[in-house]
Amino acid sequence: MKRTPFLAIVLLAFAFPAHAQGAKQDAKQDAAVKPADPESKVVLDSWNEIGRKLTELAEGFPEDKYDFKPTPAQRSFAEQLLHAAGSCYFFTNTVTGKPIVVEDPKREQYKSKADIVAFVKKSFADGATAIQSKGEKGLMTEVVYYPQQKARVIDIAYGIIEHSGEHYGQLVVYYRLAGLVPPESRPKK
């Protein structure tokens, strides 16, 4: 019977410091919660992230393999990049009031790896500038979008981000088929 009060005291001794420590951690966690980022920052970050990934793929792939196609019916590595980067202008041109170009940029127009890498960088930089120019309120405005329909600026941006992500995934397969490791799959230094 003498054990019961002793056990109760020991349990209480351990319970209170643990409870106090837990309260301190809860207070720290509550104080550390920061508000959600504004939508303009979130869409811009997503836009820049897929642009970065496509640029890294473009820069890391050997130039002598730029015309590689997994099958004859598919686009080459270069054509995939040109298509993904060119699609950015569905967003950028719509938002800035320029005419939309429906056709993919032609491989003959971008002869070297350097030309294609520069085009990928420029297309995403132009899109980022358009997002920034719209600001928070401007992302919610409606514009006439291809094919003759209205859409919110933010929805068009996310559509192109998603489309670019699909092509990123395809280009990762091209890397693997060429016996290369894609940049995002390499060990971090």
Side-chain angles (χ1 to χ4, degrees):
M1 295 232 181
K2 291 183 179 182
R3 269 187 161 173
T4 305
F6 176 74
L7 286 174
I9 292 171
V10 169
L11 288 174
L12 285 173
F14 283 109
F16 282 113
H19 175 70
Q21 185 70 2
K24 286 180 187 176
Q25 287 177 345
D26 288 345
K28 285 181 183 176
Q29 287 175 347
D30 289 343
V33 174
K34 67 176 197 168
D37 287 331
E39 289 172 333
S40 59
K41 180 181 181 331
V42 174
V43 73
L44 181 62
D45 288 350
S46 295
W47 183 275
N48 287 334
E49 179 65 7
I50 193 59
R52 179 193 64 77
K53 287 179 177 180
L54 286 170
T55 299
E56 282 186 1
L57 287 176
E59 290 173 336
F61 208 69
E63 186 163 12
D64 65 337
K65 295 185 185 295
Y66 256 57
D67 290 313
F68 167 71
K69 294 181 177 190
T71 68
Q74 291 178 283
R75 291 181 177 114
S76 69
F77 184 85
E79 290 167 335
Q80 284 276 13
L81 285 169
L82 290 170
H83 171 77
S87 72
C88 291
Y89 289 102
F90 274 93
F91 169 76
T92 307
N93 287 7
T94 299
V95 174
T96 59
K98 296 177 184 168
I100 297 174
V101 178
V102 179
E103 292 183 16
D104 285 341
K106 301 293 181 223
R107 176 69 166 112
E108 301 79 43
Q109 185 182 352
Y110 297 91
K111 296 184 188 319
S112 71
K113 174 181 173 174
D115 293 340
I116 294 171
V117 169
F119 180 66
V120 171
K121 287 180 178 180
K122 182 175 180 354
S123 69
F124 282 95
D126 289 348
T129 299
I131 291 167
Q132 291 169 321
S133 74
K134 284 298 175 184
E136 198 67 32
K137 289 182 182 177
L139 290 176
M140 297 304 155
T141 59
E142 290 185 353
V143 293
V144 176
Y145 184 59
Y146 178 81
Q148 303 306 318
Q149 67 185 44
K150 282 191 171 187
R152 291 183 310 167
V153 170
I154 195 168
D155 297 331
I156 301 167
Y158 275 124
I160 298 302
I161 292 166
E162 190 268 339
H163 175 260
S164 298
E166 290 173 357
H167 287 285
Y168 169 80
Q170 292 171 4
L171 289 166
V172 165
V173 173
Y174 284 49
Y175 256 77
R176 296 293 186 178
L177 290 172
L180 301 169
V181 178
E184 291 290 310
S185 297
R186 296 176 190 153
K188 304 293 180 219
K189 295 178 182 178

